Amino acid sequence: MDVAGVRVLVTPMGALAVLAAVAAGVALGTCSGLVPGVHVNTLALLLAAAAPLAPGPPHLVGAALLAAGVTHSILDVVPMLALGVPDAALAVSALPGHRLVLGGRGREALRVSAVGSATAVVVAVAFGVPATWLAVRAAPVVYAHLPVVLAVLVVVLVARERSRRARFGAVLAVAASGALGSVALPMQPDAVVPTGDVLSPLFAGLFGAPVLLAAFRGDGIPEQADARIAVPPREVVRPGVAGSLAGAAVAYVPGVSGAIAAVFALDLTGDDSGDRAFVAALSGVNTANTVFSKSQCYIVIQ
C-alpha cells in the first residue's frame, strides 16, 4: 500500500512485529510516565543505544519510541498532580494543576489533561502528513532566521505581562536563564550513554522548584471531589485543539518550549477558562509535540 507517496510492504509477520514494538513502547512509556523523575528522553537514549542489538529492523525501535513518547505525554501528569513532582515537559503546569488539586478538583484535572492529550492524537492523525509537508518547506527559512524568531518570541512574552514589575521580573528571568545556559552548556557530564548534554541533569533539579515553593506553606492535599469537568466541553476541547496545533509547530522550531506554545495558543484563541484551559492546552502541546517530533524522522513526502 502507499503511505504519503511511499510504497510500504505489509506482511502478517511484519504487522505483528510492529504491534509488539508498539506494545513494548506503551509499557515503557507507562513506566516513565508514572514514575517521578523519569523522562521519556532517558528511554530514548537507552533505546538508541540498544537499537543495534534489537532483534529485527531498526524501524521497530522507532515505533517503540513513538509509542513510548505518546504514552508518557498522556500519563506524566499523574505524578505531577498526585505526588507534587513535575515532569520536565509539564513543569510550568505544576502551579495550575496544583491549584486545581488544592481546590479539590485533582481528579477533574486528570480528566482535562486526558482530553487535551486525546485531542492532540486526533489532530496529529488528521494533520500529520500535511503538517510535515509544510514543515519540510518552511524549516530552512525558520532555521536561517532562528535568532530573529526567538528574539521576537522573547519580546512578545515580556510585553504581554500586565505590569512593569512583572515585565521587569520577566526580563530578569530571561537574563538569568541565559546566564545559566552560558555557564552550564559548555560542561560535558559523564553518563552511561555519552550524549554531551547537561540539560537533563540540570533540569532534574530546577523543575522541582515551583512545586516546592508553592507547597512550602501548604497544609497537604485536601479531600478531592468527583472527576466531572466543571466547564462546558468546548472550553476544554478548544484549548486542546489549539495546543495540539501549537505543539505541531513547536516540534519543528528549536528553542520554543511547550509552555510557551500553550501560552500563545490560549492567547490566539481567547480562551479564558483559567487553569483548566492551560492544563488542556499544555497536554495537547506535549502530546502533539511528541508525535510530530518523532514522526518527522519517519514520514517521507515525495
Side-chain angles (χ1 to χ4, degrees):
M1 67 177 181
D2 290 335
V3 178
V6 179
R7 183 164 295 277
V8 179
L9 179 61
V10 179
T11 64
M13 292 303 297
L16 288 176
V18 172
L19 290 176
V22 170
V26 170
L28 292 173
T30 300
C31 293
S32 65
L34 295 179
V35 176
V38 178
H39 193 271
V40 71
N41 286 347
T42 304
L43 296 178
L45 292 175
L46 295 176
L47 286 172
L53 304 177
H59 73 268
L60 295 180
V61 177
L65 179 58
L66 179 58
V70 173
T71 304
H72 177 98
S73 70
I74 295 173
L75 295 177
D76 58 0
V77 71
V78 175
M80 186 273 287
L81 293 177
L83 303 178
V85 181
D87 174 78
L90 287 173
V92 181
S93 74
L95 294 178
H98 276 83
R99 282 196 293 267
L100 290 172
V101 171
L102 294 176
R105 306 303 301 175
R107 294 187 179 93
E108 179 190 0
L110 290 174
R111 202 168 187 176
V112 168
S113 176
V115 171
S117 294
T119 302
V121 173
V122 174
V123 170
V125 171
F127 297 100
V129 172
T132 304
W133 181 89
L134 179 62
V136 167
R137 287 152 180 80
V141 178
V142 174
Y143 293 158
H145 302 86
L146 188 58
V148 177
V149 173
L150 297 181
V152 170
L153 290 176
V154 170
V155 171
V156 172
L157 287 172
V158 172
R160 69 183 298 278
E161 297 293 341
R162 298 181 179 180
S163 66
R164 291 184 178 179
R165 182 177 180 180
R167 286 191 287 271
F168 179 72
V171 171
L172 285 181
V174 172
S177 64
L180 178 61
S182 299
V183 173
L185 290 179
M187 298 180 179
Q188 298 292 329
D190 295 329
V192 176
V193 179
T195 63
D197 187 0
V198 74
L199 295 181
S200 295
L202 179 66
F203 289 165
L206 291 179
F207 280 131
V211 177
L212 295 176
L213 292 175
F216 182 70
R217 297 181 179 178
D219 296 325
I221 297 177
E223 183 178 353
Q224 299 296 300
D226 58 74
R228 289 180 297 177
I229 298 178
V231 295
R234 66 178 181 276
E235 295 187 17
V236 175
V237 174
R238 186 168 58 186
V241 172
S244 303
L245 297 176
V250 167
Y252 302 103
V253 181
V256 182
S257 68
I260 294 175
V263 168
F264 281 118
L266 294 179
D267 285 346
L268 292 176
T269 58
D271 284 294
D272 192 22
S273 49
D275 295 334
R276 294 172 179 83
F278 188 82
V279 170
L282 187 55
S283 296
V285 167
N286 288 328
T287 300
N289 182 30
T290 299
V291 173
F292 282 98
S293 62
K294 301 294 189 299
S295 63
Q296 65 174 310
C297 299
Y298 311 114
I299 296 177
V300 179
I301 304 298
Q302 290 184 342

